């Protein structure tokens, strides 16, 4: 066992003495030491109950003959960080989370890891650490929040964001917005909908690093506690079998993950996170390959923000296992991929079935013959951009309009709420990329304002930043190269015509190449927005969005 490096032999007497200072007994030290990474805090609703989940994990570890060692991990609430300087730290925190888990597991020679996250960057950060460390590991999330309810209809956090836009144009009163605010988020859990946190928790199941139910069992359901106990027990099996993430996270596993992502219409942020996780085990995921997966995968689930169903509905319909079983009928899933259950994905879904065909549609009745995400290329995005086409109104799948250009999110929000954006406009928000932001802020506030004002069927929004999984409409992000690197988005001028053609995977700036070359010669790289602290270091190291916005030196 790895932990023998800190607990076995005469020379480790000082180490054992320190363990005993914390109350560990010789019996506990004779067992496998399992690190339990707990990202509990009191600022993220999805993490508020993680002490309870972690205690269940630790109980499972002890039942199976191991010794749990809990340590803390940071987390940013994307909703609370949204729309101000705090959002610069959200994506950047992913690297800190991965690094901190690596530090703790390596410094203390844990034999295995159970990772307990729930929300946006915490999940992929922990998965990156597990892949990098390559010691037996599995993840159990805190589970999704239940949807709120108002006047007989389900609502969620996205309803509140869109309510801001609706109130701005007089569709609802301030009092009605307050009522939505009071009821949208009824308790703990990751925000209800196929937003980034829930997408990544679901895909953790598909990758094989989470147990069935990890993505969809509600946070307040007792099944979540039982799942956590089972996760604690399973890690001991993984340690005994020496089954490690690199044996699970194969190219086929990532293919399965993107296939399910397309079928459920997941968050655009998976295009950042899955490639970053894959790099940790030496698997390269090309953006063109993602389009290939999308084109052969039917879109089976219409979940918030693009549809009416919430994660609790997906759970009631049979969960991710039922989605996998449906896709397997068309040979779209590699059933031989391994899982932390100790079996294969095929073993895991052997008894899975769809319980609600209105939530998980049959293969012959999909919402669309192709998947819910698309990668766009063209003169405005030579290295790619991403759109959640499952959340785009059919009338905006092909659109051409004049650019309304903003060098930052704040100016765009002011113009949108001030009524300065008109039908047909293409809002361009730039210098918000990984390096230029820095931190690649999410644009939920402007997209929600557009949707709330009823303009999501008439106005497109493009950015070298990114979107929340809760965004809907013709919202195209991750435009690469970013403006701060002199990408074509930096050369767009007010009134330029931009053409979007999602079915053909195109995004083009309709400006003569001679004119663009003249603009390119005159363009000057802007001064860094942040010159000290973590974000300044991050901005110097981070790579383009098409790499997954990784920071490793040889990316």
């Amino acid at each position: 066992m790895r932990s023998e490096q800190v607990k076995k032999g005469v020379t480790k007497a000082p180490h054992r003495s320190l363990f005993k200072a914390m109350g560990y007994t010789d019996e506990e030290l004779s067992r496998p030491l399992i690190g339990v990474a707990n990202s509990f805090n009191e600022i993220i609703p999805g993490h508020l109950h993680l002490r309870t989940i972690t205690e269940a994990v630790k109980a499972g570890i002890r039942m199976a003959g191991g010794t749990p060692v809990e340590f803390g991990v940071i987390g940013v609430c994307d909703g609370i960080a949204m729309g101000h300087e705090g959002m610069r730290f959200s994506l950047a925190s992913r690297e800190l989370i991965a690094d901190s888990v690596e530090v703790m597991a390596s410094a203390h020679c844990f034999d295995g890891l159970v990772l307990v996250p729930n929300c946006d960057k915490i999940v992929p950060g922990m998965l990156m650490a597990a892949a990098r460390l390559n010691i037996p590991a599995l993840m159990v999330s805190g589970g999704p929040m239940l949807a709120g309810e108002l006047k007989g209809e389900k609502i969620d956090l996205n309803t509140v964001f869109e309510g801001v836009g609706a109130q701005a144009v007089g569709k609802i009163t301030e009092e009605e917005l307050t009522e939505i605010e009071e009821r949208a988020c009824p308790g703990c859990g990751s925000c209800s909908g196929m937003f980034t946190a829930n997408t990544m928790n679901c895909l953790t199941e598909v990758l094989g690093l989470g147990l069935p139910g990890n993505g969809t069992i509600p946070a307040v359901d007792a099944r979540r506690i039982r799942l956590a106990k089972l996760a604690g027990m399973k890690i001991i099996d993984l340690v005994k079998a020496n089954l490690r993430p690199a044996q699970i996270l194969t190219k086929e596993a990532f293919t399965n993950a993107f296939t399910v992502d397309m079928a459920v219409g997941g968050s655009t942020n998976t295009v950042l996170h899955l490639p970053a996780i894959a790099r940790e085990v030496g698997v390269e995921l090309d953006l063109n390959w993602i389009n290939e997966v999308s084109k052969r995968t039917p879109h089976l689930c219409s979940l918030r923000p693009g549809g009416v169903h919430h994660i609790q509905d997906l759970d009631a319909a049979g969960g991710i296992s039922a989605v996998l079983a449906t896709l397997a009928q068309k040979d779209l899933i590699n059933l031989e991929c391994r899982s932390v259950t100790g079996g294969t994905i095929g073993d895991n879904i052997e008894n899975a079935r769809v319980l609600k065909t209105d939530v998980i549609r049959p293969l012959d009745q999909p919402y669309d013959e192709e998947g819910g995400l698309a990668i766009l290329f063209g003169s405005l995005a030579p290295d790619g951009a991403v759109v959640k086409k499952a959340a785009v109104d059919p009338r905006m799948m092909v659109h051409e309009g004049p650019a309304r250009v903003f060098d930052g999110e704040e100016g765009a929000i002011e113009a949108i709420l001030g009524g300065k954006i008109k039908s047909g406009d293409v809002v361009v928000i730039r210098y918000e990329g990984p390096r230029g932001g820095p931190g690649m802020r999410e644009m939920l506030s402007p997209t929600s304002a557009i949707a709330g004002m009823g303009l999501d069927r008439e106005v497109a929004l493009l950015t070298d930043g990114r979107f929340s999984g809760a965004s809907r409409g013709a919202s195209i992000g991750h435009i690469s190269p970013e403006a701060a690197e002199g990408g074509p988005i930096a050369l767009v001028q007010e009134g330029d015509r931009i053409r979007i053609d999602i079915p053909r995977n195109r995004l083009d700036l309709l400006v003569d190449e001679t004119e663009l070359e003249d603009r390119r010669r005159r363009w000057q790289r802007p001064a860094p927005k942040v010159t000290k602290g973590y974000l300044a270091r991050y901005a110097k190291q981070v790579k383009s969005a098409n790499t997954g916005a990784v920071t490793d030196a040889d990316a």
Side-chain angles (χ1 to χ4, degrees):
M1 292 190 293
R2 293 175 80 245
S3 62
E4 289 181 353
Q5 299 176 72
V6 296
K7 66 184 186 182
K8 187 175 182 179
V10 174
T11 60
K12 297 303 185 288
H15 304 65
R16 291 192 297 273
S17 181
L18 291 169
F19 275 105
K20 289 176 179 179
M22 295 179 281
Y24 289 94
T25 65
D26 287 330
E27 172 63 26
E28 288 174 299
L29 294 180
S30 71
R31 300 175 177 184
L33 294 184
I34 307 300
V36 182
N38 180 7
S39 55
F40 162 83
N41 62 40
E42 295 181 340
I43 195 65
I44 309 178
H47 289 224
L48 191 64
H49 63 307
L50 292 190
R51 281 176 173 163
T52 302
I53 301 294
T54 299
E55 287 303 317
V57 168
K58 290 157 67 176
I61 292 170
R62 293 189 182 102
M63 283 191 288
T67 297
V69 183
E70 181 183 342
F71 62 92
V73 177
I74 66 165
V76 171
C77 178
D78 278 23
I80 294 174
M82 193 73 65
H84 57 88
E85 291 300 301
M87 180 46 68
R88 301 192 192 282
F89 288 89
S90 176
L91 180 61
S93 74
R94 186 187 71 181
E95 316 308 309
L96 283 177
I97 290 161
D99 291 349
S100 64
V101 173
E102 177 194 9
V103 166
M104 292 297 289
S106 299
H108 303 109
C109 300
F110 295 137
D111 297 304
L113 280 174
V114 179
L115 307 164
V116 188
N118 209 22
C119 291
D120 293 50
K121 308 313 158 304
I122 303 93
V123 176
M126 287 191 176
L127 289 173
M128 289 168 65
R132 185 185 306 168
L133 287 160
N134 200 30
I135 62 174
L138 79 159
M139 176 175 286
V140 57
S141 76
M145 183 186 295
L146 295 175
E149 189 170 320
L150 180 62
K151 298 177 181 177
E153 294 187 4
K154 289 179 181 176
I155 61 174
D156 53 43
L157 180 66
N158 207 38
T159 314
V160 191
F161 272 100
E162 293 185 3
V164 174
Q167 192 275 331
V169 294
K171 287 188 172 183
I172 62 173
T173 66
E174 189 171 342
E175 290 73 22
E176 287 173 314
L177 178 58
T178 299
E179 192 173 10
I180 294 171
E181 169 193 327
E182 292 284 345
R183 294 177 177 267
C185 299
C188 65
S190 48
C191 296
S192 182
M194 194 53 79
F195 312 144
T196 303
N198 290 323
T199 301
M200 289 304 303
N201 283 326
C202 288
L203 297 189
T204 299
E205 279 186 54
V206 184
L207 286 171
L209 283 186
L211 299 174
N214 181 72
T216 62
I217 296 174
V220 295
D221 195 314
R223 288 179 296 152
R224 178 64 55 180
I225 303 299
R226 298 199 294 272
L227 187 75
K229 289 179 180 177
L230 182 59
M233 297 173 72
K234 281 292 180 184
I235 189 62
I236 302 302
D237 292 339
L238 297 179
V239 169
K240 289 177 179 177
N242 196 29
L243 181 58
R244 291 166 284 113
Q247 297 165 275
I248 296 172
L249 297 175
T250 61
K251 179 65 176 288
E252 292 76 19
F254 285 102
T255 304
N256 282 348
F258 265 118
T259 299
V260 171
D261 193 17
M262 299 302 171
V264 300
S267 166
T268 54
N269 283 312
T270 58
V271 179
L272 287 175
H273 300 321
L274 289 180
I277 297 162
R279 287 186 67 86
E280 299 288 354
V281 288
V283 174
E284 296 293 331
L285 302 181
D286 179 75
L287 293 185
N288 279 301
W289 168 81
I290 294 173
N291 270 340
E292 292 173 13
V293 174
S294 181
K295 288 186 182 302
R296 65 174 181 253
T297 305
H299 178 210
L300 303 178
C301 304
S302 185
L303 301 158
R304 289 281 288 161
V308 298
H309 298 126
H310 290 80
I311 299 298
Q312 66 205 61
D313 301 313
L314 179 58
D315 183 65
I320 292 300
S321 291
V323 176
L324 284 164
T326 303
L327 293 168
Q329 295 170 17
K330 198 177 178 182
D331 295 325
L332 292 172
I333 297 296
N334 187 316
L335 300 176
E336 299 304 313
C337 289
R338 303 181 75 174
S339 165
V340 291
T341 59
T344 64
I345 295 297
D347 295 330
N348 293 352
I349 66 172
E350 189 172 353
N351 298 315
R353 60 192 180 96
V354 176
L355 303 176
K356 288 187 168 188
T357 55
D358 60 325
V359 179
I360 304 173
R361 285 194 173 183
L363 289 170
D364 60 355
Q365 298 176 37
Y367 287 96
D368 197 297
E369 295 294 338
E370 296 184 4
L373 297 182
I375 308 298
L376 311 184
F377 296 93
S379 60
L380 189 54
D383 293 339
V386 63
V387 61
K388 187 171 185 174
K389 65 179 183 179
V392 179
D393 188 273
R395 287 168 285 187
M396 291 297 292
M397 296 294 279
V398 177
H399 178 76
E400 182 181 318
R404 303 297 309 280
V405 184
F406 302 92
D407 290 346
E409 178 186 12
E410 288 80 3
I413 294 173
E414 183 179 346
I416 294 166
L417 294 179
K420 297 179 181 178
I421 302 302
K422 306 301 181 186
S423 177
D425 285 349
V426 179
V427 177
V428 177
I429 305 178
R430 62 189 178 189
Y431 295 104
E432 290 285 6
R435 180 164 294 182
M440 204 177 181
R441 291 193 289 179
E442 287 186 345
M443 303 291 158
L444 181 56
S445 293
T447 59
S448 296
I450 287 173
M453 297 167 76
L455 292 173
D456 56 304
R457 299 172 180 177
E458 304 167 6
V459 170
L461 195 152
L462 317 181
T463 182
D464 54 4
R466 60 194 177 91
F467 295 110
S468 163
S471 292
R472 65 184 174 100
S475 303
I476 300 170
H478 306 196
I479 292 176
S480 301
E482 63 175 288
E485 292 299 305
I489 191 173
L491 309 179
V492 180
Q493 293 183 1
E494 188 81 6
D496 284 350
R497 303 292 293 183
I498 292 175
R499 181 169 177 80
I500 300 162
D501 191 337
I502 296 173
R504 294 182 60 240
N505 300 98
R506 295 291 304 181
L507 179 62
D508 290 294
L509 175 60
L510 305 182
V511 174
D512 181 80
E513 183 56 39
T514 303
E515 168 65 17
L516 285 180
E517 194 56 44
D518 181 58
R519 293 182 190 180
R520 196 170 285 115
R521 282 194 299 269
R522 291 185 280 114
W523 178 80
Q524 294 183 336
R525 188 185 306 277
K529 295 176 183 175
V530 181
T531 57
K532 62 181 181 180
Y534 173 61
L535 278 181
R537 297 195 304 275
Y538 176 83
K540 291 177 182 178
Q541 297 173 344
V542 71
K543 310 302 178 186
S544 173
N546 66 300
T547 71
V550 294
T551 58
D552 52 302
D554 59 350

